[in-house]
């Protein structure tokens, strides 16, 4: 499987689903359902013990699935994610140690930022695309509009509190390349094993207007 940069990955679809699975089997069903709905990029988080196993399984489902690991909060997570087959990593924040660990593991990283100081660190370390997290709670669309002035070249993937209704507002911004969201996998659908509903939500998300910039 060819290695992709974060820049390539974030342009594969307007929405990257943020996923947390109770079991590896649930992860496989959901990953299949999302892929059937046209979603090519998955962010499977380390918030549950099933995370790494679900990543391994999802990587085997289709040649055109790009699986990333989310909720990287420790440098050692980078090597674990790479070993499980993840093609990129997503973190809620960024430190120099985490940046170095991602480099050492050969894991393209989408680091989280929330403040101008976070952004300046990310820029110093060479990042051109960052995750804005938690997006809604940290100021949403107005905050991203404000960031565009001092940081005109930086691109964002806002994640956190975004819904099917608010996603188009984020995607319309000149500095947003995609959004992350958990609305594609509602708890009620997962509890009922209603994979068709996941596919329906994935199809709707895939058809959102992707940014043209």
């Amino acid at each position: 499987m060819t290695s992709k940069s974060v820049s390539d990955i974030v342009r594969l679809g307007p929405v990257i689903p943020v996923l947390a699975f109770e079991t590896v089997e649930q992860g496989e069903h959901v990953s299949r359902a999302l892929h059937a709905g046209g979603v090519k990029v998955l962010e499977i988080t380390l918030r549950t013990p099933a995370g790494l196993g679900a990543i391994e399984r999802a990587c085997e489902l289709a040649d055109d699935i790009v699986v990333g690991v989310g909720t990287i909060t420790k440098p050692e997570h980078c090597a674990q994610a790479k070993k499980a087959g993840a093609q990129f990593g997503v973190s809620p924040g960024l430190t120099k140690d985490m940046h170095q660990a991602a480099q050492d593991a050969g894991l393209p990283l989408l680091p989280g930022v929330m403040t101008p100081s976070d952004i300046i660190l990310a820029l110093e370390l060479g990042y051109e695309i960052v995750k804005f997290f938690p997006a809604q709670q940290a100021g949403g669309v107005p905050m991203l509009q404000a960031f565009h002035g001092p940081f005109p070249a930086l691109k964002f993937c806002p994640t956190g509190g975004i819904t099917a209704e608010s996603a188009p507002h984020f995607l319309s911004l000149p500095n947003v390349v995609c959004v992350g969201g958990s609305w594609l996998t509602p708890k009620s659908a997962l509890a009922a094993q209603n994979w068709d509903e996941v596919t329906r939500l994935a199809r709707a998300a895939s058809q959102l207007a992707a940014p043209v910039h």
Side-chain angles (χ1 to χ4, degrees):
M1 201 175 283
T2 28
S3 171
K4 288 182 168 61
S5 69
V6 166
S7 178
D8 296 330
I9 291 164
V10 296
R11 288 174 171 85
L12 291 174
V15 181
I16 298 177
V18 180
L19 308 164
F21 298 129
E22 290 174 22
T23 64
V24 172
E25 288 70 31
Q26 184 190 59
E28 179 175 349
H29 285 298
V30 172
S31 299
R32 280 188 194 282
L34 289 166
H35 184 256
V39 170
K40 299 288 193 289
V41 182
L42 310 177
E43 179 192 330
I44 298 176
T45 68
L46 297 180
R47 295 176 192 180
T48 65
L52 289 172
I55 289 165
E56 286 183 16
R57 190 78 61 88
C59 289
E60 297 164 358
L61 293 181
D63 290 340
D64 61 346
I65 280 185
V66 178
V67 182
V69 60
T71 321
I72 289 179
T73 55
K74 299 176 181 174
E76 56 265 32
H77 287 160
C78 295
Q80 291 168 0
K82 185 73 175 179
K83 188 176 176 188
Q87 287 180 267
F88 69 105
V90 186
S91 63
L94 178 64
T95 65
K96 288 184 176 176
D97 285 348
M98 192 181 294
H99 166 74
Q100 191 57 52
Q103 296 269 301
D104 292 345
L107 187 75
L109 186 66
L110 180 66
V113 302
M114 194 178 83
T115 68
S117 295
D118 295 341
I119 289 173
I120 289 168
L121 172 62
L123 290 170
E124 278 181 7
L125 293 172
Y127 291 94
E128 297 172 355
I129 300 170
V130 294
K131 166 181 168 174
F132 177 48
F133 177 82
Q136 200 58 53
Q137 296 85 341
V141 167
M143 184 67 97
L144 285 163
Q145 288 171 324
F147 282 155
H148 191 47
F151 310 112
L154 192 64
K155 300 295 185 190
F156 293 88
C157 170
T159 303
I162 296 176
T163 64
E165 292 70 36
S166 65
H169 300 291
F170 283 95
L171 291 167
S172 70
L173 298 176
N175 54 349
V176 168
V177 285
C178 65
V179 300
S182 54
W183 80 86
L184 282 68
T185 52
K187 289 190 172 131
S188 56
L190 299 198
Q193 299 189 4
N194 186 351
W195 314 128
D196 288 344
E197 174 66 1
V198 173
T199 296
R200 185 188 71 76
L201 292 167
R203 193 168 287 123
S206 300
Q207 289 165 358
L208 287 172
V212 291
H213 34 272

